[in-house]
């Protein structure tokens, strides 16, 4: 009787409705699609920015920066020792000519202005606008106190020269300097 009619009526109300196509304009579908689109756009934007940052040739990180930061006190001690020596470095560079490296010349003098002879002179050149592109050379003594070497400097503009001068093996005969030069194009 009663239970049979109740269950029959109860199950009759839960018959499966025919499948309808999804309405993409319905509010119940729009907000999840909107959130998904915003997340996808954020991820795509971040990937584009990361790609641009990693391909930027002007971006540079100082090599071994952590070790240099930890050794800051010794760097400052070296700067004081260099100042106490009184040596001077005067840089010059030949104009850039297509197909030929520039010649970097350093005139090194002692505290009295006399040429410093018999030294080992090394230079690291980095273009200010593209500091990740570094060029190094050991300069040969071309004349008393005058050291020179060819260096492939590809761009005209401001370059930073990190100079190391050492005479003999004594630690008190080591000098470091940072100089800036402007490289120009020649008529070649």
């Amino acid at each position: 009787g009663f239970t049979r009619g109740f269950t029959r009526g109860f199950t009759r109300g839960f018959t499966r409705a025919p499948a309808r196509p999804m309405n993409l304009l319905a509010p119940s579908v729009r907000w999840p699609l909107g959130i998904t689109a915003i997340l996808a756009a954020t991820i795509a934007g971040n990937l584009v920015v990361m790609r641009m940052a990693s391909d930027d040739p002007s971006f540079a990180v100082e090599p071994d920066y952590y070790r240099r930061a930890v050794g800051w006190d010794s760097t400052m001690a070296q700067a004081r020792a260099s100042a106490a020596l009184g040596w001077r470095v005067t840089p010059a560079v030949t104009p850039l000519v297509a197909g030929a490296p520039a010649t970097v010349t350093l005139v090194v003098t002692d505290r009295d202005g006399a040429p410093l002879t018999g030294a080992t002179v090394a230079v690291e050149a980095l273009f200010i606008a593209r500091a990740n592109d570094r060029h190094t050379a050991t300069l040969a003594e071309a004349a008393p106190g005058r050291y020179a070497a060819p260096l492939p400097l590809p761009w005209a503009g401001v370059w930073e020269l990190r100079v190391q001068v050492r005479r003999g093996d004594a630690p008190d005969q080591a000098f470091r300097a940072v100089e800036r030069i402007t490289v120009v194009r020649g008529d070649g």
Side-chain angles (χ1 to χ4, degrees):
F2 175 74
T3 56
R4 184 183 294 164
F6 177 75
T7 55
R8 199 176 311 142
F10 183 73
T11 55
R12 223 181 278 146
F14 287 103
T15 57
R16 186 174 197 126
R20 294 184 309 203
M22 184 183 291
N23 181 4
L24 294 178
L25 298 177
S28 62
V29 175
R30 275 188 293 184
W31 71 267
L33 287 177
I35 290 174
T36 303
I38 290 171
L39 288 173
T42 302
I43 291 170
N46 284 332
L47 290 173
V48 167
V49 169
M50 287 186 328
R51 176 74 175 173
M52 288 171 50
S54 65
D55 284 348
D56 186 3
S58 63
F59 177 76
V61 175
E62 187 69 32
D64 215 7
Y65 68 91
Y66 182 77
R67 184 188 56 78
R68 292 179 64 160
V70 169
W72 178 249
D73 291 336
S74 64
T75 301
M76 295 311 300
Q78 175 65 47
R80 286 189 297 276
S82 293
L85 280 172
W87 296 354
R88 291 207 166 100
V89 174
T90 305
V93 65
T94 58
L96 294 179
V97 177
T103 299
V104 174
T105 304
L106 296 174
V107 176
V108 184
T109 57
D110 65 11
R111 140 181 343 273
D112 301 323
L116 189 72
T117 60
T120 302
V121 180
V123 67
E124 177 184 32
L126 53 123
F127 189 52
I128 298 299
R130 297 186 186 275
N132 210 23
D133 188 19
R134 297 163 187 260
H135 303 276
T136 58
T138 300
L139 284 66
E141 191 167 9
R146 183 179 208 81
Y147 299 85
L151 203 59
L153 305 177
W155 300 289
V158 179
W159 285 78
E160 180 175 288
L161 299 179
R162 297 178 180 176
V163 181
Q164 296 180 14
V165 180
R166 179 175 291 280
R167 187 166 62 177
D169 293 329
D172 64 339
Q173 295 294 298
F175 175 82
R176 291 179 188 248
V178 176
E179 299 287 335
R180 293 220 171 161
I181 58 169
T182 301
V183 176
V184 297
R185 293 208 180 279
D187 294 325

